[in-house]
Amino acid sequence: MISTLVTFSRRISVAPLKLLTAGALILLAGCSANPIYTTTGVVLSNYSEGEATPYVLQMSDPKMACALGEGIDPLLYSFSRVTDAPDSTGSLLMLLAGNCAEYKAWEAELAYLRADYQGNVEAAKDAREEAKRLNALTAKRRYASFQRAMAAYEFDPSVEPVECPFLFSEQDELTFLLGLLTGMQAIVNDANSGAMAGVPKNIAPQAERAATCLDNEKWGGMPNAIRALVWLLLPDTRPALSPDPWQVLEHSTELGAEKGMRVPHALQAVAAETFGRPEKLEEAIASFVEANATIDVWDEYRLVDEVAAGVIRFSSDKHWSANYGYRTPQTYFGKMSPERETENVETMSLDGLL
């Protein structure tokens, strides 16, 4: 009898504890089936945004960073099945994954130019097709990155007039800005693929309007450089009395070098290639290389400048491959031909030695 009473008493005391535990698990899990997955997703998402992202943005190896994007994005973003989608970090990861696809497209493009220079028609056609397919993959990833960046800050880029998002930190501002830039890149990649990716062109004027939400001076001319690129692509979007887009790009390169983030140089080079302005391309490459002697790269966002450097290097390599059949020799980076400068070269007089 006594033992029965003790057992009954224990059951009564344990029951509320079980109920509390079950309630806590339900709260943690929300409506999902497994609370562990939800908790893990929240922890990983917070860690990625608070620790991993600042670390990656300081990296100086763009190819290692892009491999991280390709490898981690499917894992991290899979947690959007059990908790809120990690859109801000997911935007940057997909941006890096897009860079990986683009690096492969660059190699195919250079192979095409070398084969074309050598007159190897079959090899040129094969490389050209491969470049198109890789540009389509790049465009798809970059469009996804753009969409995630807009979703991360609950920003509807189609609303007119523009309603700027709340960006609580410098990292938020950069993520949003890179999202706009990536959207523009997606359009260029899709054009290079023969429109295989189907990226909507109307995101260009949307990015132009959204770029006004950011401080142009603070971000080294990037916002205005994006706007200038849109003005060139879609002249109707250029506001009345606004300066010439090429002047805006040139001014933006100066701001970018001063700030330590030469993205405007890369945008100037892309615009010069897109619109067939070889003098502007030469100017962008030479200016980028000259800045190496004086620039103090923005250390917290070193990766952004390194990615821009890759774009400039590729533009130079394309020119050299098309005209000389090989990539830019290191000692000629910043020049557009292998000709040596002979003017104003001081020569030693041998008269006194004879």
Side-chain angles (χ1 to χ4, degrees), residues 246-254 264-265 268-269 272 277-291 312 334-336:
W246 293 106
Q247 290 181 347
V248 174
L249 283 169
E250 185 175 344
H251 179 60
S252 298
T253 61
E254 295 169 2
H265 285 81
Q268 187 184 29
R277 297 289 297 269
E279 79 283 1
K280 294 295 181 185
L281 176 62
E282 183 174 3
E283 181 182 310
I285 296 173
S287 174
F288 183 94
V289 175
E290 287 171 8
I312 292 291
K335 300 182 174 61
M336 307 303 276

Side-chain angles (χ1 to χ4, degrees), residues 123-314:
K125 289 176 68 175
D126 183 69
R128 185 67 171 159
E129 186 59 32
E130 184 182 14
K132 283 185 178 180
R133 294 178 188 184
L134 288 166
N135 266 299
L137 176 61
T138 307
K140 287 178 183 176
R141 290 180 178 182
R142 284 182 166 164
Y143 182 48
S145 173
F146 168 81
Q147 291 176 305
R148 290 182 185 180
M150 300 304 102
Y153 303 104
E154 300 178 347
F155 177 73
D156 184 351
S158 65
V159 171
E160 293 188 60
V162 66
E163 295 179 5
C164 292
F166 291 104
L167 303 172
F168 297 102
S169 68
E170 196 170 74
Q171 186 171 303
D172 286 337
E173 292 180 32
L174 181 63
T175 302
F176 184 72
L177 180 54
L178 292 179
L180 300 179
L181 176 61
T182 306
M184 295 303 302
Q185 289 177 302
I187 293 175
V188 174
N189 289 123
D190 196 25
N192 292 336
S193 76
M196 281 194 280
V199 175
K201 305 295 185 296
N202 63 354
I203 65 173
Q206 295 172 0
E208 193 273 341
R209 291 194 302 271
T212 60
C213 294
L214 294 144
D215 187 330
N216 188 58
E217 298 283 333
K218 175 180 180 179
W219 293 107
M222 264 198 289
N224 279 354
I226 292 172
R227 300 185 71 198
L229 184 58
V230 176
W231 297 344
L232 289 169
L233 291 168
L234 304 169
D236 290 345
T237 61
R238 182 181 168 191
L241 304 179
S242 62
D244 178 76
W246 293 106
Q247 290 181 347
V248 174
L249 283 169
E250 185 175 344
H251 179 60
S252 298
T253 61
E254 295 169 2
L255 287 176
E258 290 173 9
K259 200 67 182 179
M261 192 184 284
R262 289 170 288 182
V263 173
H265 285 81
L267 288 175
Q268 187 184 29
V270 170
E273 291 173 344
T274 304
F275 296 97
R277 297 289 297 269
E279 79 283 1
K280 294 295 181 185
L281 176 62
E282 183 174 3
E283 181 182 310
I285 296 173
S287 174
F288 183 94
V289 175
E290 287 171 8
N292 282 336
T294 56
I295 190 171
D296 184 10
V297 175
W298 196 343
D299 190 54
E300 287 85 351
Y301 309 118
R302 178 173 294 277
L303 184 64
V304 180
D305 188 69
E306 293 287 348
V307 171
V311 174
I312 292 291
R313 175 79 68 176
F314 173 61

Side-chain angles (χ1 to χ4, degrees), residues 18 32 36 43 45 57 66-67 69 74 89 94 97 101 115 122 131 148 193 201 207 224 250-251 271 321-322:
K18 286 184 177 179
S32 66
I36 301 299
V43 170
S45 181
L57 288 172
C66 90
T89 304
M94 191 55 82
E122 290 77 14
R148 290 182 185 180
S193 76
K201 305 295 185 296
N224 279 354
E250 185 175 344
H251 179 60
S321 296

